[in-house]
Amino acid sequence: MGGVKRVSTATAADATGTGAARSPGSAGSAGANLEMLRSHNAALVLGLLRDAGAEGISRLELAERTGLTPQAVSKITARLREQGLAAEAGRRASTGGKPRTVLRLVPEAGHAVGVHLDRDELRVVLVDLDGAVVGERCEELDLGAGAEAVLGAVCGAVRGVAGRLGRGTGAAEGGSGAAEGGAGTGSGALAGVGSLVGVGVALPGPLDHAHGVLHRVTGFPEWDGFPLRDALAERLGVPVVVDKDTNAAALGLAAGGEEGAAGGSFAYLHLGTGLGAGLVIGGTVHQGARTGAGEFGHQVIQLDGPLCECGNRGCVEVLCLGAVARGDVAEAARVLGVAAGNLVGLLDIDVVLLGGRTVAGAPEAYVRGVGEVLGARARREGVRGGAVPVRVAPRGERVVAEGAAQLLLAPLFGRGVG
C-alpha cells in the first residue's frame, strides 16, 4: 500500500474534532471551570431525559436524581429546550399542588454517523439521539487498497447516509470527486449539515484512540502511523472520533442498556475477520492507559502453535480462525471458550457477550461451546453462583457501526470511556 502517510503522535491539544467526543469528566477534577461543570450537569440531565423515553420526566425528578437544585435544573432544561433538545411531554398528576410538567428528549434534534471499517467490508449507519438507526449503507471494501481509495469510500458512504439531514444533500447524493475518488479534500463538505454531531469510526486495532492514529493493524502493517481521524475530519468538515471496533461495540451496548449488558462489568468478544474484546468494567469501557486494552486475540495459548500475523505463535486468533477456515465450528468455539475463561478468571466479569460476522453464522454453536468451557472451569474451581453466562450480543452485525456512532453521542449523555 503506497501513499499511506505516517506521522508522529500529536498532543491532545493539537487533535481536531475531539471536543464532542470527550467524556465531561475526561479532563479530571483539577482545574474544572464553570463551563465544564455546566456541560457535565447538562449531560446528566440529558441522560435522564433519554432514559425516561417518550413518557418523560419532571424537573423535580431530575433534581432528585442528579442532586442539582431545582433552580439549576430549570436553567439547564430551559437551555435544552431553546436548543431543541428537549420538549414538553404533557403533565403528570402531583401528590400536592398543580400537575407537574414532564419533559422528554427530542431524538431527531441530533444525529451521528457510525462507521465500521473492517478488513473487507464497510458499514455506515446514521443514528438519532435515541440510538435508533435511520439510515444505513454496507459495501465491500479492501483495507489494503490504499489510503486514498479507502478514505474515498468512507467519505462517499458517510455523505450518502448524512444527506437526508438537509443541507449538504447534493454532496451526499451526487457523489462528488472526493466522495468517489478520494482525490479532493472535500473540506467542510458536511459542516452545517442538519443536526449532525460528527462521525465515529471503528476498525481493527491496535491504534491510538486519543489522537486517532493507527498502529500496525493486524494484517495491514502499512497503515502504521496513519492519522485517520485528522484525514477524515479534513475531508468531511465535522468532528471525527476513532476507536477500536471492540471498544465501540462495548460502548454502544453499555450506553444502550441492552439486555445482557446490564451488569456492571462484561466482555464483548468479536469474532469476524479477526478476534478482539471490548471490556466494560464498572459501567465504563476500559481502553487502557496506552490504548492497548482488549487485544484479546493475541494472547498465546499454544507456545509452539501456528504463526500469527502479529508475529507470535499460538495466538487465540490464529487458532480460532484456523478452525473456522477448516469448518470446525466446535473447535473454534472451544478455543474461544478457553481464552474467554482466562479473561473471566482475570477480571471476574459478570457476562460474556459474543458478536461478529463469524459468530452470526452459528450463534447457538458458539454460545454452547464457550459456555461449556466456562462451565467446566467454574465447576473445577468451585465458583460460587456457577459459570458466567454467555449470550449473543444484541444488534447483530450492526453492533460495531452503532457503537461507533455512540463514540460521539454517549458523552453527550454523561456516558463514555475510561
Side-chain angles (χ1 to χ4, degrees), residues 113 115 117 122 124 137 139 141 147-163 168 171-173 175-187 189-190 199 201 228-238 240:
V113 173
V115 177
L117 183 56
L122 173 65
V124 179
R137 287 181 64 164
E139 58 193 58
L141 178 80
E148 289 305 312
V150 171
L151 291 177
V154 171
C155 290
V158 169
R159 290 174 179 133
V161 298
E173 302 297 338
S176 66
E180 298 297 330
T185 64
S187 179
L190 292 179
V199 177
V201 182
L228 181 64
R229 183 195 66 193
D230 291 352
L232 287 174
E234 180 182 4
R235 285 165 170 77
L236 296 172
V238 294
V240 175

Side-chain angles (χ1 to χ4, degrees), residues 211-269:
H211 303 97
V213 176
L214 306 188
H215 292 325
R216 296 176 65 84
V217 177
T218 306
F220 299 88
E222 60 270 31
W223 281 99
D224 188 21
F226 187 78
L228 181 64
R229 183 195 66 193
D230 291 352
L232 287 174
E234 180 182 4
R235 285 165 170 77
L236 296 172
V238 294
V240 175
V241 183
V242 173
D243 207 336
K244 290 195 298 188
D245 45 11
T246 49
N247 285 344
L251 175 62
L253 292 169
E258 300 285 358
E259 182 180 358
S265 301
F266 69 87
Y268 167 74
L269 307 184

Side-chain angles (χ1 to χ4, degrees), residues 347-376:
L347 298 178
D348 194 20
I349 55 178
D350 300 321
V351 62
V352 171
L353 300 176
L354 305 179
R357 193 187 317 169
T358 302
V359 169
E364 294 180 0
Y366 280 100
V367 169
R368 181 173 59 253
V370 173
E372 287 175 353
V373 176
L374 294 183

